[in-house]
């Protein structure tokens, strides 16, 4: 036979749900913040790659003229 369920205090239930929803809210905000930083880094890297490719093309073009 299973033991009878224990009655949990409403204060404890409220604290648990508050912690749960607070954690979900924190995680959502944190994820959004990290995503913005990573998108910024990605755009900088793409700009650097384009700049480097343009530079390499110019160098190879001048190298062909020599």
């Amino acid at each position: 036979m299973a033991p009878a369920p224990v009655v949990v205090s409403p204060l404890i239930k409220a604290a648990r749900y508050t912690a749960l929803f607070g954690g979900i809210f924190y995680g959502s905000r944190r994820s959004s913040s990290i995503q913005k930083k990573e998108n910024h880094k990605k755009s900088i890297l793409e700009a650097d790659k384009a700049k480097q490719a343009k530079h390499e093309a110019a160098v190879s073009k001048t190298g062909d003229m020599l």
Side-chain angles (χ1 to χ4, degrees):
M1 289 177 106
V6 177
V7 178
V8 179
S9 165
L11 179 64
I12 293 174
K13 286 183 180 179
R16 288 174 62 191
Y17 279 106
T18 301
L20 173 67
F21 293 124
I24 291 171
F25 178 73
Y26 171 78
S28 173
R29 295 282 305 251
R30 178 85 173 131
S31 176
S32 176
S33 171
I34 290 171
Q35 187 66 40
K36 286 178 186 175
K37 289 178 185 177
E38 289 299 317
N39 286 342
H40 181 68
K41 285 181 186 178
K42 186 177 179 181
S43 67
I44 290 172
L45 288 175
E46 288 173 354
D48 286 345
K49 282 183 183 180
K51 189 175 181 181
Q52 185 175 4
K54 186 177 178 183
H55 176 70
E56 288 175 357
V59 168
S60 66
K61 187 176 182 182
T62 58
D64 291 340
M65 291 182 181
L66 294 176

